[in-house]
Amino acid sequence: IDEHRWLRATGNLIVRPEVEEIEEAFHRASPDQLQDMYLQFREMYDVDASVTEEDMKMSAQLAVAYEEVIVKYNIHAFGYYWWGEKELVTQLRAQSALAVSRLAALGRPGVTEGDLKTAMAMKILDLFGGGGMFVEFFAVDYADDFILVGHDGPSNINMSEGRAKLQHLQVHHGKTGHGLGIDFEVIKGPTTLLNLSQFNAGDSFKLIYTVGEIIPGDLLNIGNPNCRIKLGLPIHEFFDKWCQEGPSHHIALGAGDFSRELETFAVAMSFKLVKI
């Protein structure tokens, strides 16, 4: 992201905690903190029998560590991604889904692949009361006229119909090896797809959005939430118009039509606004 643009647009500097801070917080997580996190997990998620105590321990330690660092710097949305020379450092990121999903549910959305612009778009939808989930275009069905969207990793359970399921995946999508996966049925009905772009945005940012409908139907059984979306335009016209605006490939998905809120927000922030 263009950091000077970010500073001009928001008045805030980007905070950059070091990976070592998460590593140290991970190691000093206390038994009482872990026990409290186990209880929170079981309250927030429907924990499948496939989830072992060892799986839960790693995720609980990570949840304690991520929360400590995020709260320490008063971070309200974040992007993260790294590889490590040490295997543990790589796993601090690769096994982070539950830790970051929990923070998203509590109003501090985090996104993998270091995508700060989409984290910001998620936070906007969260403030509007629309949840805000990290997705990308998975597939296009021209015959039945819908697109399939989703993403592996830290899904926002505020977008779930009913309780989200926590399970152990033998194939950890988007990662190496295996680990915990969060899955749920996404709330059906009106939906807003929101992208934050720097392309042709002047000195600030541009909000690109469209309103569609999340519809029922068969989905990919991959252990992570995905959903069908019916758009207001023919698919080929939508993608032509969407891509000409210069979006990134990630999108924030919200439950509801937030056209009026985005119009007001764009004026207040001096952001450009494009509706597809």
Side-chain angles (χ1 to χ4, degrees):
I1 194 168
D2 180 338
E3 295 193 39
H4 290 138
R5 183 187 300 269
W6 182 281
L7 178 59
R8 286 195 305 269
T10 69
N12 294 311
L13 291 170
I14 294 173
V15 179
R16 296 181 179 277
E18 299 294 339
V19 176
E20 286 86 352
E21 294 180 70
I22 297 176
E23 183 181 13
E24 291 302 311
F26 176 83
H27 286 307
R28 64 172 168 262
S30 70
D32 286 346
Q33 287 176 308
L34 295 181
Q35 186 61 36
D36 177 65
M37 200 59 69
Y38 292 147
L39 295 174
Q40 289 189 48
F41 287 166
R42 294 194 178 277
E43 183 177 323
M44 296 174 73
Y45 304 87
D46 180 10
V47 181
D48 187 78
S50 63
V51 178
T52 67
E53 286 300 319
E54 190 58 33
D55 293 330
M56 291 279 275
K57 183 175 186 297
M58 177 72 170
S59 292
Q61 277 187 265
L62 281 169
V64 171
Y66 273 69
E67 180 175 54
E68 178 180 316
V69 175
I70 294 301
V71 171
K72 173 184 176 182
Y73 291 101
N74 197 27
I75 294 171
H76 293 277
F78 61 99
Y80 68 105
Y81 196 80
W82 61 78
W83 290 92
E85 187 73 19
K86 296 182 292 185
E87 176 62 18
L88 174 62
V89 172
T90 298
Q91 293 306 313
L92 292 178
R93 185 262 309 163
Q95 301 296 335
S96 64
L98 190 53
V100 180
S101 171
R102 173 182 170 274
L103 285 171
L106 298 176
R108 297 178 188 264
V111 301
T112 186
E113 300 178 37
D115 189 351
L116 289 177
K117 293 193 293 297
T118 303
M120 189 173 179
M122 287 173 62
K123 184 61 183 177
I124 292 168
L125 291 176
D126 174 68
L127 290 170
F128 292 162
M133 194 168 85
F134 188 59
V135 299
E136 62 191 12
F137 298 118
F138 269 7
V140 177
D141 190 317
Y142 289 101
D144 288 337
D145 193 34
F146 70 87
I147 58 173
L148 191 70
V149 302
H151 203 282
D152 68 281
S155 303
N156 188 344
I157 62 174
N158 291 331
M159 293 288 292
S160 173
E161 282 187 348
R163 295 188 74 200
K165 183 178 182 180
L166 183 65
Q167 59 190 316
H168 185 269
L169 302 178
Q170 290 298 335
V171 179
H172 204 190
H173 298 274
K175 309 289 187 293
T176 56
H178 55 84
L180 294 183
I182 301 155
D183 200 4
F184 52 80
E185 286 280 335
V186 181
I187 296 170
K188 306 300 184 296
T191 185
T192 300
L193 290 167
L194 177 63
N195 192 275
L196 188 75
S197 176
Q198 298 176 184
F199 180 76
N200 193 25
D203 287 335
S204 189
F205 290 102
K206 178 174 64 177
L207 295 167
I208 310 164
Y209 82 100
T210 195
V211 176
E213 182 181 4
I214 298 175
I215 59 174
D218 293 337
L219 303 169
L220 295 176
N221 184 21
I222 55 174
N224 302 118
N226 52 102
C227 62
R228 294 181 174 210
I229 297 180
K230 191 90 167 177
L231 299 167
L233 290 171
I235 290 174
H236 66 286
E237 289 185 24
F238 166 79
F239 274 113
D240 185 47
K241 293 177 182 292
W242 182 267
C243 292
Q244 285 193 41
E245 293 299 331
S248 59
H249 79 276
H250 293 135
I251 313 149
L253 178 73
D257 178 349
F258 295 103
S259 299
R260 290 185 62 187
E261 289 87 346
L262 286 169
E263 289 170 7
T264 303
F265 182 85
V267 171
M269 294 295 293
S270 299
F271 287 4
K272 286 189 176 182
L273 182 70
V274 176
K275 182 176 184 178
I276 307 297

